[in-house]
Amino acid sequence: KMSQLSVTTLFEVQQLIVDAVNSDKVPAQIKMIFQLVEQQSQQKVKREHLVYGLFSLMSVYLVVGHAAELLCNAAGFAYPAYQSILAIRSDRKDDDTQWLTYWTVFALFSLVDFFSEIIMGWFPFYWLIKFAFLLYLYLPMTNGAQEIYDKIVDPAFTRFEARQATSGQDQEQPEQQQQQQQQQDAGAESHHHQ
């Protein structure tokens, strides 16, 4: 059963990659690269094979390379920053929301990333996993930042806001009670002096 599960999972991953590289959501710049490679190889190199090769090289480098942290962080900054600039320049609101959502999730993830040196001591594949996670967050095929925002960030922030509102009311009530007591005391004193 385990080998059947692995074959099924690998087939699903392969199909996901084939669908992704042929998707309408692939950025124009990447489509141009695919087309250039296909033209140069006279259609002998398929898009998905190019992705497999690049991903394999990147994976090995992210595990053993000296600048794995730099490469990983560049992947998390460069393309999203470029897309954010394009979003700011555009009149559409949906792309602004997409990249604001990415940067929000990215910022929260950076809190975990602060401990990357400690994590690397226990888990040497950290940069590879982080790289895959960052791709998951911003690639239009996965839109992972929106998913994480909807399932984790927004509910947590809603609970935080509710607690803040409740604690603000709790603080207001003693102040209001104290003011009422002072008014009653002042009223009683002025009534007593008459």
Side-chain angles (χ1 to χ4, degrees), residues 80 84 87 93-109 133-134 136-138 143-154:
S84 296
K93 182 186 179 310
D94 62 329
D95 57 355
D96 295 350
T97 302
Q98 174 189 356
W99 291 107
L100 279 171
T101 304
Y102 170 79
W103 290 113
T104 300
V105 173
F106 181 87
L108 292 172
F109 176 71
F133 177 69
L134 293 173
Y136 164 75
L137 288 180
Y138 68 69
N143 207 10
Q146 187 66 50
E147 188 173 333
I148 289 176
Y149 179 83
D150 290 342
K151 291 181 178 178
I152 298 170
V153 177
D154 192 45

Side-chain angles (χ1 to χ4, degrees), residues 9-23 48 52 141-142:
T9 304
L10 287 174
F11 177 74
E12 289 171 353
V13 168
Q14 179 183 11
Q15 191 59 47
L16 178 69
I17 291 171
V18 170
D19 292 346
V21 298
N22 293 306
S23 167
E48 56 268 22
Y52 296 148
M141 301 82 153
T142 56

Side-chain angles (χ1 to χ4, degrees), residues 14-174:
Q14 179 183 11
Q15 191 59 47
L16 178 69
I17 291 171
V18 170
D19 292 346
V21 298
N22 293 306
S23 167
D24 292 338
K25 294 182 178 182
V26 173
Q29 299 90 337
I30 295 182
K31 279 186 183 178
M32 287 179 10
I33 293 170
F34 286 151
Q35 290 169 349
L36 181 65
V37 169
E38 288 170 345
Q39 288 171 357
Q40 293 296 322
S41 71
Q42 299 172 345
Q43 302 297 333
K44 292 179 185 173
V45 176
K46 294 182 178 180
R47 293 175 178 198
E48 56 268 22
H49 294 156
L50 180 62
V51 170
Y52 296 148
L54 289 173
F55 187 73
S56 297
L57 288 172
M58 294 275 294
S59 297
V60 169
Y61 189 80
L62 286 167
V63 173
V64 299
H66 293 291
E69 180 178 6
L70 176 64
L71 178 64
C72 185
N73 288 332
F77 291 124
Y79 181 75
Y82 172 74
Q83 288 299 325
S84 296
I85 292 168
L86 293 179
I88 291 167
R89 291 180 174 178
S90 81
D91 293 332
R92 296 182 10 235
K93 182 186 179 310
D94 62 329
D95 57 355
D96 295 350
T97 302
Q98 174 189 356
W99 291 107
L100 279 171
T101 304
Y102 170 79
W103 290 113
T104 300
V105 173
F106 181 87
L108 292 172
F109 176 71
S110 294
L111 297 173
V112 172
D113 196 43
F114 177 77
F115 300 101
S116 62
E117 293 298 321
I118 297 168
I119 296 169
M120 278 296 298
W122 296 333
F123 193 67
F125 297 103
Y126 177 73
W127 299 118
L128 176 61
I129 300 298
K130 178 182 176 184
F131 181 79
F133 177 69
L134 293 173
L135 289 179
Y136 164 75
L137 288 180
Y138 68 69
L139 286 177
M141 301 82 153
T142 56
N143 207 10
Q146 187 66 50
E147 188 173 333
I148 289 176
Y149 179 83
D150 290 342
K151 291 181 178 178
I152 298 170
V153 177
D154 192 45
F157 190 73
T158 301
R159 286 190 302 272
F160 174 77
E161 282 183 316
R163 271 191 237 133
Q164 293 296 66
T166 306
S167 70
Q169 290 173 354
D170 292 345
Q171 289 175 358
E172 288 175 12
Q173 289 175 353

